[in-house]
């Protein structure tokens, strides 16, 4: 069986790394399974793409579609045209997509129209917020998926409500957490640790990249100012996503405890999260990683497609109103944040379960 593995944007790389490793192991054991790694080129900076291949030992992509940046339609169309060309020349048996980015949806539509089966890793999650492009990507992808590999009981429930038969749903756990658990011992202290005199539990980590928070300078500046003002003068380490950097280039923030840095490598970023007082974020993946590491997490979004990080984990949804930040920080700073536990099957073995199932498909 030949599987195309699709990756395009930063959070995809952590999700595919353990799947590729598990396929390689099966192949070495003589099982008829192989992969072709297709990078769409949605993210292309070394700090958003190449570095993760090196750090996580992901083999070089067989093909890079080099779509680059653009509007939603430009990226979707660009990926579809180039991926279709590839499939017509060199088809595969299954197209495996991960997550909810534009590359996920564009490749699944393209493959399905050529009658290729679709496997969706992280299928079934829903924020029920159609103002986010990711929710549309999830719904479209799942409407044509053949094998759903799910991360949570919530995802299973969503799929059942949408009429997906049990026989297509495989509750396997979370491949992003496979990567976290595998690499935890390799986390690396970044040089900024000493530069800013960081100590365990005396600083915050901040990441922001959602259009609702970062595309409009006033909203972005208000969020950052509220955070920096109410953290008891502790340092706030802010690795800035390129989308956010564009807006910040016009801002004039003078906050002495805010340290804006380029996006960090995986091993350094998660070293910082693991030792932080708390994480403040609008990322999806970071809420999962904070939950597994037991680090308090505040999410600056109105909805989440990962409710288990709130109901089981350390995450709380604050919304996007900057006024919500102060009371949440007060609660944290008086030691009243919840402890949290680890969601079912987030045990480091999800990719093995996925590949076991794929290998058994006739
Ligand atoms: C995308 C995903 C989002 C995911 C995020 C992870 C979609 C619709 N959005 O958002 O779900 O959470 O990735 O990080 O798929 N840019 C660079 N260099 C890069 C990549 C991007 O400078 O390597 C800049 C470009 O100006 C680009 C902007 O960032 O226009 C946004 O990139 P894009 O891939 O469109 O969306 P993200 O905001 O990164
Ligand atoms: N991450 C990283 N460096 C950073 C910020 C995030 O390596 O500076 C990692 C993080 O540990 C997680 C992934 O990037 O594995 C999350 O990606 P992102 O927040 O871009 O996307 P989302 O999960 O919101 O789709």
């Amino acid at each position: 069986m030949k599987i195309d593995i699709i990756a395009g944007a930063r959070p995809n790389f952590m999700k595919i790394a353990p799947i590729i490793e598990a396929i390689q192991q099966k192949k070495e054991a003589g099982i008829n399974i192989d992969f072709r790694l297709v990078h769409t080129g949605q993210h292309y900076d070394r700090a958003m793409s190449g570095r993760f291949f090196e750090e996580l030992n992901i083999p070089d992509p067989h093909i890079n579609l080099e779509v680059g940046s653009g509007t939603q339609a430009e990226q979707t169309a660009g990926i579809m045209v180039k991926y279709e060309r590839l499939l017509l020349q060199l088809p595969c048996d299954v197209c495996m997509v991960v997550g909810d980015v534009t590359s996920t949806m564009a490749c699944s539509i393209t493959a399905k129209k050529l009658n290729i089966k679709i496997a969706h890793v992280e299928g079934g999650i829903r924020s029920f917020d159609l103002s986010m492009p990711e929710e549309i990507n999830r719904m479209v992808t799942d409407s044509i998926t053949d094998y759903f590999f799910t991360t949570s009981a919530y995802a299973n429930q969503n799929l059942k409500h949408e009429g997906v038969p049990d026989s297509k749903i495989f509750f396997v756990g979370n491949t992003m957490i496979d990567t976290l658990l595998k690499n935890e011992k390799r986390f690396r202290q970044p040089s900024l640790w000493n530069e800013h005199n960081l100590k365990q539990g005396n600083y915050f980590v901040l990441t922001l990249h959602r259009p609702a928070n970062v595309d409009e300078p006033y909203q972005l500046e208000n969020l950052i100012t509220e955070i920096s003002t109410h953290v008891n003068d502790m340092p706030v380490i802010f690795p800035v996503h390129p989308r956010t950097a564009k807006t910040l280039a016009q801002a004039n923030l003078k906050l002495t405890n805010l340290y804006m840095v380029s996006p960090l490598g995986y091993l350094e970023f998660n070293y910082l999260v693991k030792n932080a007082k708390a994480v403040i974020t609008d990322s999806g993946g970071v809420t999962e990683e904070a939950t597994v590491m037991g680090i308090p997490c505040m999410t600056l979004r109105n909805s989440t497609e990962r409710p288990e990080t709130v109901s089981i984990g350390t995450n709380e949804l604050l919304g996007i109103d900057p006024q919500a930040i102060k009371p949440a920080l007060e609660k944290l700073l008086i030691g009243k944040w919840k402890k949290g536990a680890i969601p079912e099957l987030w045990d480091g073995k999800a990719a093995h379960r996925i590949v076991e199932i794929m290998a058994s498909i006739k």
Side-chain angles (χ1 to χ4, degrees):
M1 171 188 286
K2 278 184 291 180
I3 305 175
D4 266 4
I5 296 189
I6 310 296
R10 176 167 68 185
N12 295 163
F13 308 129
M14 301 75 190
K15 292 172 196 173
I16 61 161
I19 301 174
I20 289 177
E21 194 187 332
I23 292 177
Q24 282 168 330
Q25 285 170 3
K26 270 265 178 274
K27 192 180 158 193
E28 278 159 25
I31 309 294
N32 177 24
I33 189 165
D34 206 351
F35 72 97
R36 173 173 64 183
L37 177 54
V38 179
H39 192 320
T40 64
Q42 178 175 347
H43 285 178
Y44 42 85
D45 289 346
R46 194 181 117 68
M48 296 298 287
S49 173
R51 182 161 53 190
F52 301 108
F53 284 74
E54 293 157 22
E55 285 189 310
L56 302 176
N57 259 322
I58 305 171
D60 287 342
H62 295 91
I63 314 280
N64 191 322
L65 304 178
E66 294 180 340
V67 71
S69 298
T71 65
Q72 294 292 308
E74 283 166 347
Q75 275 184 330
T76 306
I79 294 168
M80 288 180 72
V81 169
K82 290 180 167 181
Y83 187 44
E84 182 181 54
R85 217 170 274 155
L86 173 69
L87 286 176
L88 289 173
Q89 260 181 354
L90 296 164
C92 63
D93 301 311
V94 175
C95 170
M96 180 176 277
V97 294
V98 299
D100 54 18
V101 300
T102 299
S103 305
T104 310
M105 178 187 72
C107 289
S108 48
I109 298 174
T110 310
K112 190 67 180 177
K113 288 200 169 192
L114 293 172
N115 290 321
I116 293 167
K117 300 268 190 211
I118 308 298
H120 186 192
V121 174
E122 206 184 270
I125 64 175
R126 296 285 181 272
S127 67
F128 303 102
D129 175 0
L130 279 162
S131 70
M132 295 179 67
E134 294 83 356
E135 184 69 355
I136 299 170
N137 295 341
R138 292 178 200 116
M139 290 169 66
V140 172
T141 303
D142 285 349
S143 71
I144 52 176
T145 287
D146 298 279
Y147 311 108
F148 295 89
F149 293 111
T150 61
T151 49
S152 72
Y154 289 107
N156 301 341
Q157 248 173 39
N158 293 333
L159 292 172
K160 284 180 195 179
H161 283 155
E162 290 172 18
V164 176
D166 284 348
S167 58
K168 287 183 166 184
I169 304 172
F170 304 95
F171 180 24
V172 290
N174 190 325
T175 64
M176 197 175 225
I177 299 307
D178 291 1
T179 294
L180 188 81
L181 297 177
K182 181 174 174 197
N183 289 287
E184 219 171 353
K185 292 204 175 65
R186 298 175 62 224
F187 290 168
R188 208 172 40 230
Q189 192 178 84
S191 56
L192 63 82
W193 183 272
N194 289 332
E195 283 159 29
H196 302 312
N197 196 22
L198 302 186
K199 301 210 163 47
Q200 186 173 26
N202 86 336
Y203 65 92
F204 286 74
V205 174
L206 171 65
T207 82
L208 293 172
H209 69 273
R210 299 292 167 189
N213 287 330
V214 308
D215 283 1
E216 210 268 300
Y218 186 73
Q219 166 73 359
L220 180 59
E221 286 177 31
N222 274 345
L223 287 174
I224 296 173
T225 306
E226 275 300 293
I227 293 165
S228 304
T229 310
H230 297 293
V231 287
N232 266 357
D233 281 333
M234 282 188 244
V236 177
I237 310 298
F238 182 20
V240 180
H241 188 284
R243 175 179 207 110
T244 314
K246 280 208 269 187
T247 310
L248 282 175
Q250 309 150 34
N252 187 20
L253 286 166
K254 288 207 174 63
L255 298 157
T256 50
N257 59 337
L258 176 75
Y259 300 107
M260 295 194 268
V261 296
S262 300
L264 291 166
Y266 180 82
L267 301 174
E268 293 188 342
F269 179 76
N270 281 295
Y271 182 95
L272 285 185
V273 173
K274 193 172 179 189
N275 291 289
K277 178 84 182 163
V279 184
I280 307 176
T281 190
D282 58 13
S283 161
V286 171
T287 67
E288 296 180 342
E289 292 163 346
T291 279
V292 170
M293 292 190 270
I295 300 299
C297 181
M298 301 178 188
T299 293
L300 300 178
R301 284 181 50 193
N302 293 322
S303 62
T304 177
E305 58 291 329
R306 295 164 164 89
E308 65 280 3
T309 63
V310 177
S311 61
I312 302 172
T314 55
N315 186 23
E316 262 192 39
L317 270 190
L318 303 192
I320 62 168
D321 180 352
Q323 299 304 313
I325 291 169
K326 182 172 179 240
L329 283 170
E330 282 170 354
K331 183 162 105 180
L332 174 85
L333 292 170
I334 56 167
K336 289 263 160 68
W337 206 262
K338 60 183 168 178
K339 290 279 173 278
I342 297 180
E344 192 183 350
L345 293 184
W346 290 17
D347 58 0
K349 297 176 188 150
H352 282 283
R353 295 187 186 105
I354 291 170
V355 173
E356 203 62 50
I357 292 161
M358 292 308 298
S360 70
I361 291 169
K362 296 287 167 256

